[in-house]
């Protein structure tokens, strides 16, 4: 029993540490070890994929969300952790990990999980993650949307729900930072992450592997609390106090001041890292962020042509929608001096369209040659603020809701 | 002024504030499966990479035009160059080089002459210039945003340290 427990402890510590160090994450202040080691890890991933797992089809070896490369990396970490834990438990004099080491490791993964929950939570609170749908998504028939973009767009249409989800992630993140509230934070994080994993699996959102990893960390942190809850509610026993990870008592003596200062520094650094980009851009609502020139949806008014709408996407794309609602996107570059739009797409020659935009009647005129066809399109900007999806409708009664139509 | 707006708008095409997965980023512009490439998107794991351009150098071309050179926060080797006309700060004769350097301490200014004694401005002119800078330039707000964040983080550090210290003292008393 002690051997199994010791093995699980060692495996958890090794596997978590390897994943934390090797998975790249976008940080602004903290050193991203995943990106730092990525030339080395991607080389190993490629070698294992080709020579050990014998993957014959082409795959993405980069360590990005749910790419084959990330699955291979997690597989490598898993194998290393099992082997090293097995060897370690075989040769170790003590089967159990010391309580002092457990405490420090528990603090480390709690801070890591708190940082991730803060980042995802702030992204939701400040409307950077679930953003209001782009103009082309707004006018794509529902049946043509995949489940992931549909879920993203639905979430993006409600600020209050995005705020709620964000706060639900920030609360456990705050609780995870302190010893007294860590287990409660872990249990709430476990519930939150369980919901996130369910969404990612059900809506085919490609953060499955990483959300499962965060779920595993939450489970590891909340485990002593879950054991106690099981003992109270199911076994009707007094909980075993030794199941909790406690702070080593020697810290209360000579290292008390340094402990307090280091902990306070780490907590403020986590906050600084998690909120850096919002303060840097002074943007606390992604939906109100500045949009590029011509951004929006345009209804084509020119008769006898195949195009129904034109969209300018915030990340520099121009999208045409034809009469059958089929969409075609082009990478967009804009020369404001020559009033020219440069449209490029893989396998097609670059197109140059002259544009005219009249602010008074919001009319966009495009002319030029696209795919060997000469086009001249007159399109009018659609006021997306008046669309039902953007209406700030909240009604306690169905009468109020029905009045909107 | 309108021209400045349009030039700035062009730069906004490079800005990326939203966070999503690479696949969702691709689907958001109605991209087809054949066109998908992971290197096209900075997003990863539903989080976005900091992608705000950071101003490195300003080169004065003429009295009403400057070249701005930016770099990406995570890519120091790649440079983005943009020509601006009638910039509200860099082409403003009422804003001195010293004021610009105070506002943008990390930016290198090339081709901006230090004003001679005769060019030195009256107190009224300096006040007007400083007011104009605080209202016209967006970057000024961004700089102050980080100052606010540093202030909040420092406050958080002090409060957390005090709370932890009190908690430690309380625990010690309980053990006694």
């Amino acid at each position: 029993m002690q051997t199994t427990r010791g093995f699980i402890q060692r495996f958890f510590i090794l596997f978590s540490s390897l994943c934390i160090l090797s998975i790249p994450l976008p940080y602004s202040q903290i050193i991203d070890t995943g990106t730092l080691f990525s030339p080395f890890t991607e080389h190993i991933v490629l070698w294992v994929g080709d020579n050990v797992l014998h993957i014959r089809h082409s795959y993405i070896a980069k360590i990005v969300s749910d790419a084959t490369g990330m699955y291979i990396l997690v597989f490598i970490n898993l194998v290393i952790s099992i082997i090293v834990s097995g060897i370690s438990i075989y040769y170790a004099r003590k089967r159990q990990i010391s309580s002092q080491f457990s405490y420090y490791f528990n603090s480390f993964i709690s801070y890591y999980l708190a940082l991730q929950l803060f980042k995802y939570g702030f992204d939701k609170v400040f409307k950077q993650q679930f953003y209001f749908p782009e103009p082309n998504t707004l006018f794509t028939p529902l049946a043509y949307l995949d489940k992931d973009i549909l879920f993203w767009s639905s979430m993006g249409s409600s600020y209050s729900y995005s705020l709620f989800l964000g706060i639900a992630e920030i609360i456990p993140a705050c609780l995870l930072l302190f010893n007294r509230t860590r287990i409660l934070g872990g249990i709430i994080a476990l519930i939150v992450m369980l919901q996130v994993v369910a969404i990612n699996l059900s809506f085919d959102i490609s953060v499955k592997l990483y959300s499962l990893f965060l779920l595993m960390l939450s489970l590891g942190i909340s485990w002593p609390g879950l054991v106690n809850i099981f003992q109270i509610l199911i076994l009707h026993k007094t909980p075993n106090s030794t199941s909790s990870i406690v702070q080593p008592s020697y810290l209360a003596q000579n290292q008390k001041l340094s402990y307090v200062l280091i902990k306070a520094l780490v907590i403020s650094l986590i906050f600084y890292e998690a909120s850096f980009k919002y303060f840097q851009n002074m943007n606390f609502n992604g939906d109100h962020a500045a949009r590029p020139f011509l951004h929006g949806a345009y209804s084509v008014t020119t008769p006898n042509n195949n195009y129904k709408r034109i969209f300018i996407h915030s990340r520099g794309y121009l999208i045409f929608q034809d009469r059958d609602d089929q969409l075609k996107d082009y990478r967009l570059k804009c020369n404001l001096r020559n009033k020219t739009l440069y449209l490029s797409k893989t396998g097609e020659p670059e197109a140059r369209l002259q544009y005219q935009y009249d602010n008074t009647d919001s009319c966009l005129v495009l002319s030029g040659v696209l795919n060997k066809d000469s086009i001249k399109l007159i399109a009018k900007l659609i006021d997306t603020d008046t669309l039902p999806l953007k209406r700030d409708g909240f009604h306690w009664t169905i009468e109020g809701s029905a009045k909107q139509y | 002024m309108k021209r400045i707006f349009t030039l700035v708008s062009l730069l906004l095409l490079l800005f990326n504030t939203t966070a999503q997965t690479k696949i969702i980023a691709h689907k958001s512009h109605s991209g087809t499966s054949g066109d998908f490439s992971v290197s096209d998107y900075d997003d990863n794991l539903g989080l976005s990479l900091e992608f705000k351009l950071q101003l490195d150098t300003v080169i004065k071309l003429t009295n009403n035009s400057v070249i701005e050179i930016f770099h990406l926060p995570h890519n120091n080797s790649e440079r983005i160059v943009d020509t601006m006309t009638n910039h509200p700060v860099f082409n403003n004769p009422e804003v001195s080089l010293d004021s610009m350097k105070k506002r943008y301490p990390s930016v290198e200014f090339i081709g901006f002459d230090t004003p001679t004694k005769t060019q030195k401005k009256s107190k009224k002119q300096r006040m007007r210039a400083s007011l104009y800078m605080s209202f016209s330039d967006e970057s000024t707000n961004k700089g102050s945003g980080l100052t606010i964040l540093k202030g909040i983080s420092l406050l958080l550090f002090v409060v957390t340290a005090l709370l932890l210290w009190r908690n430690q003292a309380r625990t010690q008393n309980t053990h006694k």
Side-chain angles (χ1 to χ4, degrees), chain B residues 3-16:
Chain B
R3 196 165 181 196
I4 289 162
F5 170 69
T6 51
L7 284 166
V8 170
S9 314
L10 175 68
L11 271 178
L12 287 173
L13 286 174
L14 298 161
F15 290 177
N16 166 16

Side-chain angles (χ1 to χ4, degrees), chain A residues 122-337:
Chain A
F122 281 149
D123 256 3
K124 289 178 182 78
V125 166
F126 299 135
K127 211 67 171 55
Q128 311 271 331
Q129 191 178 33
F130 299 131
Y131 53 89
F132 191 78
E134 286 288 340
N136 54 306
T137 310
L138 280 177
F139 289 93
T140 306
L142 198 66
Y144 290 179
L145 289 172
D146 286 329
K147 276 188 277 186
D148 52 357
I149 185 97
L150 177 63
F151 175 80
W152 220 261
S153 303
S154 303
M155 291 293 115
S157 65
S158 171
Y159 179 64
S160 52
Y161 192 62
S162 190
L163 191 71
F164 170 78
L165 287 179
I167 292 169
E169 286 174 6
I170 289 168
I171 288 171
C174 294
L175 296 174
L176 280 167
L177 297 173
F178 303 97
N179 297 336
R180 200 182 284 258
T181 53
R182 186 159 292 158
I183 288 176
L184 176 64
I187 292 170
I188 300 174
L190 183 76
I191 297 164
V192 169
M193 286 316 301
L194 202 63
Q195 163 77 350
V196 172
V197 167
I199 288 168
N200 289 346
L201 295 178
S202 312
F203 287 88
D204 195 25
I205 293 166
S206 53
V207 198
K208 299 175 192 81
L209 204 53
Y210 190 64
S211 57
L212 277 167
F213 173 64
L214 294 183
L215 179 73
M216 188 197 81
L217 291 186
S218 315
L219 187 67
I221 295 163
S222 61
W223 186 254
L226 295 175
V227 170
N228 285 351
I229 290 172
F230 182 76
Q231 284 177 334
I232 295 168
L233 297 179
I234 311 295
L235 303 178
H236 300 286
K237 280 183 182 174
T238 314
N240 182 7
S241 61
T242 53
S243 61
S244 303
I245 294 168
V246 288
Q247 181 189 335
S249 56
Y250 80 93
L251 280 173
Q253 303 301 319
N254 52 350
Q255 292 171 318
K256 208 166 71 174
L257 182 66
S258 46
Y259 165 79
V260 164
L261 290 177
I262 291 170
K263 190 165 178 172
L265 187 71
V266 170
I267 290 171
S268 45
L269 271 176
I270 287 174
F271 174 78
Y272 190 81
E273 165 64 43
S275 52
F276 182 81
K277 69 175 175 184
Y278 316 105
F279 282 92
Q280 188 196 28
N281 303 333
M282 284 305 271
N283 178 13
F284 299 99
N285 187 336
D287 287 344
H288 295 162
R291 294 285 184 261
F293 183 50
L294 296 176
H295 177 262
Y298 297 84
S299 176
V300 176
T301 54
T302 321
N304 304 324
N305 78 83
N306 195 31
Y307 299 109
K308 190 172 169 183
R309 292 188 192 99
I310 301 165
F311 308 102
I312 307 282
H313 189 277
S314 63
R315 288 195 177 188
Y317 289 91
L318 187 144
I319 302 128
F320 289 105
Q321 185 174 34
D322 66 18
R323 298 279 162 203
D324 299 326
D325 286 325
Q326 296 299 313
L327 294 135
K328 192 169 182 181
D329 64 324
Y330 290 88
R331 222 177 262 273
L332 173 70
K333 278 182 189 169
C334 175
N335 188 329
L336 298 156
R337 290 200 187 92

